[in-house]
């Protein structure tokens, strides 16, 4: 008999920020098929291998399905199944007790990459609980671009993919392999088919680099030097938008004097990009109207990320590409509940003064705690002790720089609760583990708070297995137990309806629409100036001293000062089959990438006696891992591109899933961090390799 399949229109999520519109086939509460929805506003029918693996992920026998309570030493793998009531009671009792004895700020709430409303629900819980400490990985993702944008031009400049771009510069971003902030590559590909040219700035010759007009094979971590050299060319050759600069920028003369010290010939030595190529790329960018810079995480993952982000915004600004169709725009959001209202920011007005990193001189408006300072608070009580943590959608042991220190910090906590969909090396250290539902199993709203001017409907298609519950439902229940119940919702659907109320929709009506987008408006500064102290783009920050920030960007040298013992430069990139440390347990994805592979130039490998497919040791002065060598001439001979996020879910929990064997963050350190965002170096680290 033919199976009756009901098709549900929704959007992908949890495999990354989400964004692809999906048609999900359901039979008897099981997802049996997934395909791209050609009506998708961002994706236009595209689905990546991760999205297609949703049925396996939902039905995986390895999923957590019951709340667990630790029944042995941390990491012993001994657990006792408990009911939700006991789990929620234990978590709320332990967090309330910690607050009672040590103050609310001794409890941290940790989030990995936000997938939906759960991130903001967690901030709401922290605010109502009284803790200023929401720990997030924004130091290496999003905050350096967004907050540098807020200080420089008053907004977060994102690419306008919906109007013709004459030129797109992919700077440290490879959207063909990863879904950068939910901006699916379909839109980029349509632009290329329509005639857009591309320039790629990447140490690897990616698929897009081989189609680019210019490929700048930059030294990892030298982005600011390259951008300043391009500014040098554009200003010295008067290629900038003189009218925009005159009317709408502050500090152009100062910037011009500064970049005179960054000629392409000099910067070629540090960027490894030939001076003529720097000149050509600068001229191409300045001559294209409009041109957009798609800037990725790579520019954010060094101690010099503020300089890199500021230099790139300066390029966008002086070439007249800010907030113009097809340029880098301030996305207009559709009507929705304001974030501040959703998270109840009013309940914790002193949060900026109370956060763990309040006295570290970080950039104003950074509202989550950089992981390095969280860990210091746990291990060294600096500036005060943190004793308990609630973690969701995160695997800090793998994701934070210096994994061994992170594991020590989690082990030291008096109490740790983790909500996740599978057991991870971080969850293995918890006192209580909660089984989370995953996307397609509950109703959610996508792209809220991402700054791209859209909201996506993500109705659930099936109910979760076993006792799994959505993170937003768990937070809602914990909120009622830990804070005044009247600040929470009868049911988490009320939370969704609240977000949509300003649009005059409830969740059901929103799902019928599929998505909401903001009104198209450009050059908004013409009506009231830029939202900066001077009302202009602040090439030179007018209030730098009072903000404790440098006035102008500069290149301070490679992120990791040269060391003769470690002659190569280490970097990493994301794997299109996984999300950070997730999904290595799914056979359908793992078979494409069964082992961690590090890419090395054949010449370099030969010099070290390493052959293709052989196990090799990668060492930095902080640690050592082993990965399989993949010889590839598309990488610079002085660069090693290691795989990131590796552990082995197939290995026993008592063996910590062998996370120390190949995990990239065993090579990184958090001893030195950037002043503005507390970011450690994840790129541009000195390293060496040898045969295993
Ligand atoms: S690109 Fe992201 S949103 Fe699209 S199908 Fe893949 S995981 Fe899902």
């Amino acid at each position: 008999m033919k199976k009756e399949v009901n098709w549900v229109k929704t959007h992908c999520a949890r495999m990354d920020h989400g964004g692809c519109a999906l048609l999900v086939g359901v039979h008897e509460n099981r997802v049996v098929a997934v395909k791209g929805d050609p009506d998708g506003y961002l994706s236009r029918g595209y689905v990546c291998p991760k999205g297609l693996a949703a049925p396996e992920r939902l039905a995986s026998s390895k999923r957590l399905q019951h709340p667990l309570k630790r029944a042995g030493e941390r990491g012993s793998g001994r657990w006792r199944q408990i009911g939700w009531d006991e789990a929620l009671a234990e978590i709320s009792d332990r967090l309330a007790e910690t607050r009672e004895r040590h103050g609310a700020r001794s409890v941290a709430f940790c989030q990995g990459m936000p997938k939906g409303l759960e991130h903001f629900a967690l901030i709401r819980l922290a605010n109502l609980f009284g803790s200023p400490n929401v720990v997030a990985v924004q130091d290496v993702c999003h905050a350096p671009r967004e907050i540098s944008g807020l200080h420089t031009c008053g907004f977060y400049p994102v690419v306008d993919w919906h109007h013709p771009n004459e030129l797109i510069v992919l700077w440290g971003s490879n959207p063909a392999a990863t879904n950068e902030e939910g901006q699916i590559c379909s839109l980029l590909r349509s632009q290329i088919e329509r005639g857009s040219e591309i320039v790629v700035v990447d140490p690897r010759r990616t698929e897009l680099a081989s189609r680019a007009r210019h490929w700048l094979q930059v030294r990892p971590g030298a982005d600011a030097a390259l951008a300043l050299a391009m500014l040098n060319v554009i200003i010295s050759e008067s290629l900038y938008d003189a009218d925009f600069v005159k009317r709408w920028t502050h500090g152009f003369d100062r910037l011009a004097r500064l970049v005179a010290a960054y000629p392409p010939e000099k910067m070629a030595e540090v960027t490894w990009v030939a001076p003529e190529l720097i000149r050509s790329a600068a001229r191409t960018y300045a001559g294209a109207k409009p041109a957009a810079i798609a800037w990725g995480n790579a520019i954010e993952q060094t101690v010099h990320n503020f300089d890199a982000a500021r230099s790139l915004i300066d390029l966008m600004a002086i070439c007249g590409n800010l907030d113009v169709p097809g340029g880098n725009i301030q996305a207009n959001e559709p009507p929705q509940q304001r974030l501040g209202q959703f998270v109840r920011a009013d309940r914790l007005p002193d949060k900026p003064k109370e956060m763990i990193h309040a006295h570290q001189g970080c950039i104003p408006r950074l509202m989550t705690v950089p992981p390095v300072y969280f860990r210091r608070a746990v291990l060294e009580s600096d500036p005060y002790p943190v004793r308990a943590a609630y973690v969701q959608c995160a695997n800090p042991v793998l994701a934070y720089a210096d994994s061994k220190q992170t594991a020590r910090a989690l082990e030291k906590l008096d109490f740790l609760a983790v909500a996740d969909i599978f057991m991870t090396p971080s969850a293995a250290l918890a006192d209580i583990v909660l089984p989370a539902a995953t996307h397609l199993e509950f109703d959610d709203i996508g792209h809220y708070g991402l700054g791209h001017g859209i909201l996506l409907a993500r109705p659930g298609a099936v109910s979760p297995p076993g006792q799994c519950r959505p993170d937003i439902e768990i937070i809602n229940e914990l909120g009622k137990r830990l804070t005044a119940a009247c600040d929470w919702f009868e049911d988490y659907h009320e939370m969704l309806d609240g977000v949509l109320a300003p649009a005059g929709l409830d969740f059901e009506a929103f799902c019928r629409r599929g998505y909401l987008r903001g009104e198209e408006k450009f050059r908004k500064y013409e009506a009231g100036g830029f939202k900066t102290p001077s009302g202009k783009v602040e090439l030179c920050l007018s209030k730098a001293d009072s903000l404790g920030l440098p006035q102008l960007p500069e290149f301070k040298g490679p992120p990791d000062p040269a060391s003769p013992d470690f002659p190569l430069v280490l970097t990493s990139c994301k794997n299109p089959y996984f999300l950070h440390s997730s999904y290595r347990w799914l056979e359908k994805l793992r078979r494409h990438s069964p082992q961690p592979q590090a890419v090395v130039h054949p010449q370099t490998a030969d010099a070290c006696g390493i052959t293709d497919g052989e196990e090799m040791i990668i060492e930095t002065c902080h640690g050592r891992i082993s990965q399989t060598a993949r010889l590839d001439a598309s990488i610079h001979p002085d660069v090693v591109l290691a795989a990131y996020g590796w552990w082995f879910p197939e290995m026993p929990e008592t063996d910590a899933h062998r996370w120390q064997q190949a995990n990239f963050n065993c090579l990184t350190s958090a001893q030195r961090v950037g002043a503005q965002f507390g970011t450690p170096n994840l790129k541009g680290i000195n390293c060496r390799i040898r045969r295993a």
Side-chain angles (χ1 to χ4, degrees):
M1 206 173 72
K2 207 169 162 236
K3 260 199 304 199
E4 200 173 306
V5 175
N6 177 33
W7 290 93
V8 179
K9 255 170 138 36
T10 188
H11 283 89
C12 185
R14 188 103 196 197
M15 307 301 277
D16 55 36
H17 281 302
C20 289
L22 302 180
L23 292 168
V24 176
V26 178
H27 174 70
E28 292 179 352
N29 196 40
R30 267 197 330 117
V31 172
V32 291
V34 169
K35 57 187 181 185
D37 181 351
D39 296 339
Y41 175 62
L42 296 174
S43 53
R44 301 176 184 174
Y46 173 77
V47 198
C48 83
K50 288 182 287 182
L52 292 172
E56 287 73 17
R57 182 165 55 105
L58 268 67
S60 170
S61 59
K62 300 192 186 79
R63 279 186 69 174
L64 292 165
Q65 295 212 14
H66 303 272
L68 300 173
K69 182 171 176 166
R70 187 157 58 81
E73 291 296 299
R74 282 205 163 137
S76 63
R78 291 208 294 279
W79 302 96
R80 180 167 68 81
Q81 271 185 24
I82 55 173
W84 271 102
D85 213 40
E86 185 181 345
L88 293 173
E90 173 88 8
I91 295 171
S92 44
D93 287 354
R94 296 292 299 272
L95 298 187
E97 184 192 311
T98 309
R99 175 173 58 185
E100 185 73 18
R101 293 181 59 193
H102 306 288
R105 64 187 189 172
S106 65
V107 176
F109 295 86
C110 307
Q111 166 83 35
M113 193 186 86
K115 278 88 180 170
L117 281 196
E118 87 291 334
H119 175 55
F120 302 102
L122 189 76
I123 300 175
R124 180 187 181 101
L125 176 62
N127 285 342
L128 294 171
F129 180 86
S131 172
N133 295 319
V134 175
V135 183
V137 282
Q138 292 186 313
D139 61 322
V140 293
C141 179
H142 203 90
R145 284 172 294 169
E146 177 177 351
I147 300 175
S148 302
L150 295 178
H151 286 285
T152 309
C153 60
F155 64 90
Y156 170 38
V158 297
V159 176
D160 173 21
W161 296 109
H162 300 279
H163 292 86
N165 322 104
E166 193 177 320
L167 178 80
I168 299 155
V169 182
L170 296 166
W171 197 307
S173 171
N174 183 22
T178 63
N179 173 10
E180 180 73 29
E181 294 193 316
Q183 297 300 305
I184 318 290
C185 197
S186 313
L187 299 178
L188 167 63
R189 291 200 192 279
S190 314
Q191 294 282 1
I192 295 171
E193 275 161 30
R194 199 205 35 79
S196 299
E197 285 203 293
I198 51 174
V199 168
V200 171
V201 179
D202 201 306
R204 304 160 298 160
R205 190 175 61 240
T206 57
E207 176 228 324
L208 290 165
S210 48
R211 301 170 64 178
R213 174 156 171 196
H214 305 296
W215 168 42
L216 285 68
Q217 193 175 22
V218 69
R219 180 196 202 280
D223 305 277
L226 183 59
L228 290 164
M230 287 174 66
L231 284 164
N232 170 297
V233 175
I234 291 166
I235 294 176
S236 64
E237 297 184 9
S238 299
L239 302 176
Y240 53 89
D241 182 332
D243 184 51
F244 181 88
V245 164
K246 186 160 170 240
R247 293 180 61 201
W248 293 112
T249 65
H250 170 82
F252 179 74
D253 293 343
R254 291 280 310 276
L255 179 71
R257 282 201 295 280
L258 174 102
V259 299
Y262 293 90
E265 284 67 24
K266 194 167 148 200
M267 290 303 100
E269 289 164 28
V270 289
T271 60
W272 302 346
V273 182
E276 262 328 296
L277 189 50
I278 298 177
R279 282 187 206 288
S280 302
R283 289 170 189 147
T284 301
Y285 177 70
K289 302 280 179 238
I293 300 179
W295 45 350
N297 287 154
I299 70 139
E300 302 185 299
Q301 299 187 345
T302 79
V303 295
H304 300 325
N305 51 13
F306 185 57
D307 293 295
R310 290 256 303 144
S311 318
L312 289 172
I313 302 167
D314 290 354
L315 272 173
M316 299 169 196
I318 70 163
C319 293
N321 285 317
L322 277 181
D323 214 22
V324 297
N328 285 92
I329 59 166
Q330 176 181 21
N332 300 310
E333 296 295 341
Q336 59 191 271
Q337 188 175 20
R338 282 187 303 104
L339 273 179
Q341 198 186 349
F342 180 87
V343 303
R344 298 307 308 258
D346 57 314
R347 294 295 184 87
L348 214 56
D350 285 339
K351 176 170 169 165
K353 289 188 234 151
E354 292 288 321
M355 296 167 90
I356 293 169
H357 62 282
H359 304 292
Q360 297 291 347
C362 290
I363 194 165
R365 300 168 93 157
L366 178 63
M367 296 304 281
T368 53
V369 177
V372 56
Y373 297 125
F374 157 69
R375 207 169 45 199
R376 226 178 260 177
V378 177
L379 291 172
E380 299 164 33
S381 303
D382 176 16
Y384 50 77
V386 164
R387 296 175 184 272
Y390 181 85
V391 175
Q392 72 178 12
C393 298
N395 187 3
V397 171
L398 274 289
Y400 296 175
D402 195 341
S403 294
K404 289 182 187 165
Q405 282 274 41
T406 305
R408 274 197 282 279
L410 297 188
E411 279 162 10
K412 191 180 171 211
L413 287 167
D414 293 345
F415 179 74
L416 172 64
V418 175
D420 213 322
I421 47 180
F422 291 88
M423 182 60 76
T424 66
S426 303
L429 301 176
D431 297 279
I432 299 281
V433 177
L434 301 177
T438 187
H439 93 281
L440 307 182
E441 293 173 348
F442 66 99
D443 296 335
D444 199 2
I445 295 173
H447 279 51
Y448 184 55
L450 281 193
H452 287 272
I454 37 178
L455 289 181
L456 301 176
R458 291 186 192 153
V462 292
S463 45
Q467 296 187 25
C468 299
R469 290 189 183 182
D471 285 300
I472 40 179
E473 184 183 309
I474 302 171
I475 296 293
N476 195 40
E477 293 308 311
L478 280 175
K480 287 184 207 166
R481 289 169 188 249
L482 278 165
T483 69
C486 58
D487 286 325
W488 293 91
F489 309 89
E490 181 70 26
D491 174 281
Y492 79 86
H493 286 91
E494 270 183 27
M495 201 188 291
L496 308 181
D497 289 342
V499 169
L500 297 165
L505 300 170
D506 61 12
F507 188 72
E508 224 174 281
F510 174 49
C511 292
R512 285 195 294 275
R513 297 267 288 267
Y515 66 90
L516 295 178
R517 54 181 292 210
E519 194 190 338
E520 276 195 355
K521 268 197 269 172
F522 299 99
R523 296 188 177 86
K524 295 174 280 294
Y525 52 84
E526 285 180 346
F530 286 90
K531 291 189 180 62
T532 59
S534 62
K536 298 182 175 185
V537 179
E538 301 220 334
L539 304 173
C540 176
L541 294 180
S542 62
K543 302 263 186 255
D545 294 346
S546 60
L547 297 172
L549 297 171
Q551 292 180 342
L552 292 156
E554 59 175 327
F555 177 61
K556 301 184 180 83
D560 201 7
S563 155
D565 294 335
F566 297 95
L568 301 172
V569 179
L570 180 69
T571 190
S572 69
C573 70
K574 299 192 187 104
N575 186 315
Y577 296 104
F578 308 123
L579 168 68
H580 301 291
S581 65
S582 305
Y583 307 126
R584 282 165 181 82
W585 45 79
L586 292 182
E587 171 52 29
K588 188 169 180 172
L589 296 174
R590 183 75 178 273
R591 66 169 174 248
H592 295 282
S593 187
Q595 293 298 323
Q597 283 190 330
V599 182
V600 190
H601 195 281
Q603 216 174 292
T604 314
D606 193 43
C608 300
I610 295 167
T611 53
D612 193 37
E614 190 179 17
E615 203 62 11
M616 70 175 190
I617 304 290
I618 310 170
E619 278 178 301
T620 66
C621 64
H622 312 294
R624 157 192 326 164
I625 58 172
S626 74
Q627 297 196 347
T628 308
R630 181 160 70 80
L631 308 197
D632 187 339
S634 71
I635 194 88
H636 192 285
D638 290 338
V639 173
V640 176
L641 178 87
Y644 159 80
W646 272 90
W647 55 292
F648 301 91
E650 65 275 20
M651 291 297 169
E653 195 181 323
T654 43
D655 197 13
H657 304 288
R658 299 243 178 109
W659 66 260
Q660 302 200 19
Q661 183 179 318
N663 169 26
F664 185 84
N665 274 320
C666 290
L667 301 173
T668 58
S669 155
Q671 280 161 10
R672 201 170 138 251
V673 294
Q676 289 77 30
F677 299 98
T679 309
N681 284 326
L682 302 187
K683 309 253 187 272
I685 304 164
N686 302 322
C687 75
R688 64 186 174 210
I689 54 173
R690 61 182 165 84
R691 294 180 73 186

